[in-house]
Amino acid sequence: MLVEPVLELLDPRPGQCLVDCTIGPGGHAKILAERLGSEGRLIGIDLDEGNVVLARKGLADAPAQCQVLQGNFAELDAILRGCEVARVDRILADLGLSSNQLDDPARGFSFLGDGSLDMRMDRREALSAVEVVNRSTERELADLIYQNSQERFSRRIAKRICQARRAGRIRSTRRLAEVVASAVQVDPGSRKSKIHPATRTFLALRIAVNGELENLRSLLREAPKWLAQGGRIGVISFHSVEDREVKLDFKRRAQQGLYSIVTKRPVIAGPAERADNPRSRSAKLRVAERTDRPLEACLETE
Ligand SMILES: C[S@@+](CC[C@H](N)C(=O)[O-])C[C@H]1O[C@@H](n2cnc3c(N)ncnc32)[C@H](O)[C@@H]1O
């Protein structure tokens, strides 16, 4: 996704140290590792054990020194300390899900097909979407659906979920999609609705199950202290709530004198990529560069 703009704007160079916070199956990482060359170092992180295995395989003969760890980028401090690096030159976060996660019904991320309502990126975690859907109060559900996805029918959807679960736990993605569709009274196959009526509810639940906004905020908070002078951070987001977090963080850091913003506007996929990969249509890349201002100078404004 957005490979060319990532290469151009993140601009990794031979010998640098790069952290790919969301290595996934390793698509970006493989190309980035080529750029880093034999003197470079790439540290890859992912919550998903399956993707960690895929990325390790994909990078087995990459020229750079590559290390792929299962972990949460929210714990960037602990991860980088564990890797014994003092500073990094590039940070990339390509948020959300990889296609293999989304397309596997057993993971429960998609309302297309049927699967158990799981949605955990890290399957070692206890909380899955089944618990959130069946245990939250109507108010909690309405709030999380609205806050995480700005779904305008959040209250109606929450009410319908609570009614439906009286007849038994909602355990499958198909059942949840039907309940949501019935709440907004849109035929999922209708040509009039641009997106499936359950799209936003599924997104909101996934964000809640995986603590995605908290994770992003934590990464954005920790990034400036790890970036070397002239180091760059690039974040690809897929929905407006995330993009807003990134935009506001970069703006605030720029006001503090810690970043200069490389992308005045978010970079989006070109027509060819959009036609080739419909998921790229919502992708937005923002990049910022670390200035030479010491972090301590800004602590009082934190
Ligand atoms: C869009 S995919 C990345 C694809 C990758 N850039 C590639 O080119 O193959 C996002 C990945 O980020 C992972 N992820 C999401 N949130 C994470 C977090 N807080 N910490 C670590 N990995 C995370 C997901 O498990 C998924 O594998």
Side-chain angles (χ1 to χ4, degrees), residues 20-25 44-53 55 68-75 79 94-98 101 107 109 119-125 206-207 209-216:
D20 186 339
C21 294
T22 52
I23 198 161
I45 307 169
D46 207 288
L47 280 172
D48 189 310
E49 190 183 12
N51 276 346
V52 166
V53 172
V68 184
L69 311 159
Q70 187 180 11
N72 190 332
F73 62 59
E75 282 145 29
I79 293 173
D94 176 15
L95 303 173
L97 298 172
S98 51
Q101 292 171 316
R107 303 299 299 270
F109 290 114
M119 298 197 187
R120 288 169 302 163
M121 291 183 192
D122 182 346
R123 285 160 137 170
R124 299 170 301 184
E125 293 292 335
R206 194 199 90 197
I207 290 175
V209 167
N210 296 289
E212 290 179 43
L213 294 176
E214 295 81 359
N215 292 340
L216 175 60

Side-chain angles (χ1 to χ4, degrees), residues 65-98:
Q65 182 202 333
C66 298
Q67 199 174 351
V68 184
L69 311 159
Q70 187 180 11
N72 190 332
F73 62 59
E75 282 145 29
L76 191 70
D77 274 1
I79 293 173
L80 293 183
R81 265 191 258 115
C83 293
E84 298 183 344
V85 287
R87 287 279 176 278
V88 301
D89 303 293
R90 301 291 185 260
I91 296 177
L92 174 66
D94 176 15
L95 303 173
L97 298 172
S98 51

Side-chain angles (χ1 to χ4, degrees), residues 76-77 87-88 91 217-229 231 233 249-250 252-253 256 258-259 290-291 293-295 298 302:
L76 191 70
D77 274 1
R87 287 279 176 278
V88 301
I91 296 177
R217 287 181 197 129
S218 171
L219 171 69
L220 293 171
R221 197 170 47 244
E222 295 185 2
K225 68 174 166 241
W226 287 101
L227 279 171
Q229 183 182 335
I233 174 167
D249 178 82
F250 285 7
R252 191 165 59 90
R253 300 294 185 196
Q256 292 173 326
L258 291 176
Y259 283 171
R290 183 75 171 85
T291 63
R293 184 155 206 233
L295 194 64
C298 307
E302 281 288 288

Side-chain angles (χ1 to χ4, degrees), residues 107-163:
R107 303 299 299 270
F109 290 114
S110 171
F111 43 77
L112 307 169
D114 199 13
S116 71
L117 206 48
D118 187 324
M119 298 197 187
R120 288 169 302 163
M121 291 183 192
D122 182 346
R123 285 160 137 170
R124 299 170 301 184
E125 293 292 335
L127 185 75
S128 74
V130 173
E131 309 307 320
V132 177
V133 167
N134 292 286
R135 292 209 176 162
S136 306
T137 62
E138 185 179 325
R139 177 77 190 269
E140 285 166 347
L141 277 173
D143 287 350
L144 87 81
I145 294 171
Y146 184 72
Q147 284 159 12
N148 289 346
S149 71
Q150 319 219 291
E151 167 62 69
R152 65 192 172 109
F153 297 119
S154 58
R155 307 232 160 263
R156 255 200 254 173
I157 292 169
K159 190 170 183 187
R160 186 57 65 91
I161 289 175
C162 291
Q163 283 166 349

